[in-house]
Amino acid sequence: MVATKTQTWYRVSPQRKDIEVLADIKGVVVHDHWKPYYQLLDVNHALCNAHHLRELKAIDEIEQEPWAKSMNKLLLLACNYKHRYQSGIPKNVVARLTQLYEQILQRGLSFHSSQSPLIRKGNRGRVKRRVGHNLLLRLQNFRVMFYGF
């Protein structure tokens, strides 16, 4: 799917790796963090919070990680502010949202550092992480793509 403010274009491909159709795209590409999208160089990348909200819901309900519900609520709140303030969210609100975002990240990372490591087979490859830990690292490493304020 490619969208502007007034138009949306959908394209179905038998293979998801078929991203050359997007080669001439300019502007902002909102996506689910699928690595090949980062090959698109002349665009600004934004990560899709609908994907993250689904992940956070599963992490809250299935894994019962305490930070996930807070991050879910914060992302929804930020979305509400974005719609309420069409000309831009006030700086003091952005500062508070950013502060809360960082606090929730730290709470989640602290939670994961207190967990026992996952059992892995053999000594090869990177250490396996829990799903929630991977999401937290994505939220931390790509935070500028989330703010969107």
Side-chain angles (χ1 to χ4, degrees):
M1 176 185 91
V2 177
T4 68
K5 288 184 184 240
T6 60
Q7 298 178 345
T8 302
W9 180 70
Y10 293 92
R11 180 176 181 273
V12 178
S13 173
Q15 296 181 340
R16 187 175 181 195
K17 67 181 179 182
D18 189 15
I19 67 164
E20 75 273 352
V21 69
L22 302 175
D24 295 327
I25 296 293
K26 302 285 186 245
V28 179
V29 175
V30 180
H31 57 83
D32 61 355
H33 191 64
W34 187 51
K35 300 284 189 220
Y37 286 128
Y38 292 104
Q39 296 172 13
L40 302 170
L41 300 177
D42 294 329
V43 300
N44 292 316
H45 296 272
L47 299 180
C48 176
N49 275 334
H51 283 83
H52 297 119
L53 292 172
R54 283 192 299 271
E55 287 183 74
L56 287 164
K57 182 178 181 186
I59 292 166
D60 175 40
E61 293 177 356
I62 298 167
E63 305 296 329
Q64 298 180 349
E65 295 186 17
W67 63 272
K69 185 176 276 187
S70 298
M71 184 62 80
N72 189 309
K73 287 180 180 180
L74 180 65
L75 292 179
L76 290 172
L77 178 64
C79 181
N80 286 335
Y81 278 124
K82 183 75 172 170
H83 291 291
R84 183 182 304 165
Y85 297 103
Q86 295 291 319
S87 60
I89 301 172
K91 290 184 182 190
N92 65 324
V93 175
V94 171
R96 181 65 179 143
L97 292 171
T98 302
Q99 179 186 33
L100 291 170
Y101 185 89
E102 297 299 331
Q103 288 173 353
I104 296 167
L105 274 180
Q106 290 312 308
R107 200 168 63 220
L109 291 168
S110 294
F111 170 82
H112 279 280
S113 67
S114 71
Q115 300 297 301
S116 58
L118 293 174
I119 298 170
R120 70 185 229 192
K121 299 174 185 174
N123 293 328
R124 296 178 58 153
R126 64 185 167 110
V127 176
K128 188 172 174 131
R129 294 188 197 104
R130 290 173 174 79
V131 173
H133 194 184
N134 286 328
L135 177 58
L136 278 163
L137 293 174
R138 187 177 341 131
L139 291 170
Q140 181 182 47
N141 295 333
F142 294 90
R143 68 173 52 100
V144 74
M145 294 182 188
F146 286 94
Y147 292 155
F149 309 132

